[in-house]
Amino acid sequence: MLFRPACQAEREVFFMNMVEEAVKLIRESESIVVLTGAGASTESGIPDFRSNVGPPKKKKYDYPVEVLLSHTFFINNTEIFYDYYMNNMVYRDAKPNDCHKALAEMEKYCNVLAVITQNIDGLHQDAGSSNVIELHGSTRRNYCMKCGREFSLDELLEMNKPVPKCVSCGGVIKPDVVLYEEPLNERDLSRAVELTLKADVMLVIGTSLVVYPAAGLLNYYRGNKLIIVNIGSTPFDRSARIVIHDNAGKVMKKILEGLKA
Ligand code: ZN
């Protein structure tokens, strides 16, 4: 549905109609998978590092982000990696926004199989979603590359070292996030595929669906009730039942209100 309303009042009516339609699909669904991207967290103050949405990035190094956040760079330039990573990827004080909260509360009203996310901020868990699949890992988990000992983000921050080292063996600690050049966690990915195949409704929030694995996951969805909530258009808009181009928090709050009513 790519009707473009002309004025503000018309836009509001159109928006509420789309929300109502989405509520109806969700209410009648047997099982839902949710897929979230950076747009789900921008309202928590976490910028989308791939696009220009959100606050400006702190530019300090002359490397492209694909280099700074690559496995090779982590191994060879660990100190620069950590400086960039801690200043641009870690948001310890970020809080769940209306989108995270609505998704967690939605579980009371429908069967959410999983929230599959590309985000590494842990905010879906903070909000209370019970089954979260983190395709790109999480800044909350860190482990020693030598002995495997695990460290929380707080422990890492407390160390306050240019390169955090393991307190047991002195090995370098690596965040449990998927860097460029690294494969996704096979188990998480197959679980995400398995649940996507099962779902009759797929709700996609805050991703432009142009990068792997998000775009790839859509190809496993067998239903015809795809709902897309994203600020910009996506290559899958034409195959979706409902497309809402707006902020994730605003839309999800309205959808939750509809489910409660
Ligand atoms: Zn160790």
Side-chain angles (χ1 to χ4, degrees):
M1 252 184 266
L2 295 171
F3 163 69
R4 296 196 193 285
C7 67
Q8 184 58 35
E10 231 177 282
R11 256 196 293 275
E12 262 326 290
V13 173
F14 181 70
F15 174 81
M16 284 317 293
N17 284 343
M18 289 295 102
V19 166
E20 261 172 49
E21 286 295 311
V23 169
K24 197 163 166 264
L25 288 188
I26 293 170
R27 201 176 258 147
E28 290 166 358
S29 72
E30 278 173 23
S31 50
I32 302 178
V33 281
V34 183
L35 173 66
T36 68
S41 287
T42 44
E43 287 155 273
S44 293
I46 301 178
D48 177 358
F49 74 94
R50 275 201 195 84
S51 74
N52 293 318
V53 179
K57 286 157 270 186
K58 291 166 205 159
K59 257 220 152 230
K60 191 169 158 190
Y61 298 106
D62 248 349
Y63 304 96
V65 106
E66 292 81 2
V67 171
L68 279 162
L69 296 175
S70 69
H71 182 82
T72 309
F73 198 85
F74 175 81
I75 300 298
N76 297 332
N77 304 73
T78 318
E79 194 171 326
I80 301 178
F81 168 90
Y82 262 113
D83 186 52
Y84 180 82
Y85 173 81
M86 287 298 190
N87 284 302
N88 293 278
M89 307 301 288
V90 174
Y91 294 86
R92 185 65 197 97
D93 299 324
K95 298 274 181 293
N97 63 49
D98 285 341
C99 172
H100 302 108
K101 290 180 200 163
L103 284 174
E105 208 179 331
M106 214 169 87
E107 293 181 7
K108 291 184 203 156
Y109 305 95
C110 55
N111 178 23
V112 180
L113 296 175
V115 175
I116 304 164
T117 187
Q118 298 176 276
N119 301 338
I120 55 174
D121 50 42
L123 293 179
H124 285 303
Q125 288 94 329
D126 283 357
S129 281
S130 44
N131 188 19
V132 182
I133 301 175
E134 297 170 306
L135 292 174
H136 290 159
S138 174
T139 57
R140 304 284 179 89
R141 296 184 301 268
N142 306 274
Y143 62 92
C144 168
M145 291 178 81
K146 220 161 144 191
C147 75
R149 179 168 168 171
E150 289 176 22
F151 297 90
S152 69
L153 177 57
D154 285 336
E155 285 174 301
L156 209 67
L157 292 170
E158 271 161 32
M159 288 176 191
N160 198 20
K161 294 268 166 53
V163 175
K165 301 253 174 77
C166 176
V167 291
S168 323
C169 78
V172 171
I173 298 173
K174 185 178 180 293
D176 191 7
V177 300
V178 179
L179 300 178
Y180 286 94
E181 304 166 352
E182 291 178 346
L184 298 183
N185 179 316
E186 207 50 57
R187 206 192 50 223
D188 290 341
L189 188 59
S190 30
R191 183 103 184 103
V193 168
E194 183 194 319
L195 295 176
T196 302
L197 282 167
K198 259 192 214 168
D200 70 337
V201 168
M202 184 161 196
L203 172 58
V204 175
I205 306 169
T207 159
S208 49
L209 294 172
V210 284
V211 284
Y212 183 84
L217 213 49
L218 263 283
N219 295 324
Y220 288 97
Y221 173 57
R222 294 280 171 265
N224 62 352
K225 293 167 188 167
L226 175 62
I227 305 170
I228 295 178
V229 177
N230 192 48
I231 204 93
S233 53
T234 85
F236 287 87
D237 283 5
R238 281 181 185 278
S239 43
R241 275 280 278 277
I242 297 165
V243 178
I244 308 178
H245 289 160
D246 217 319
N247 287 325
K250 175 186 168 189
V251 178
M252 289 313 300
K253 195 177 172 185
K254 286 286 173 202
I255 288 181
L256 180 68
E257 281 170 15
L259 286 171
K260 282 177 167 176

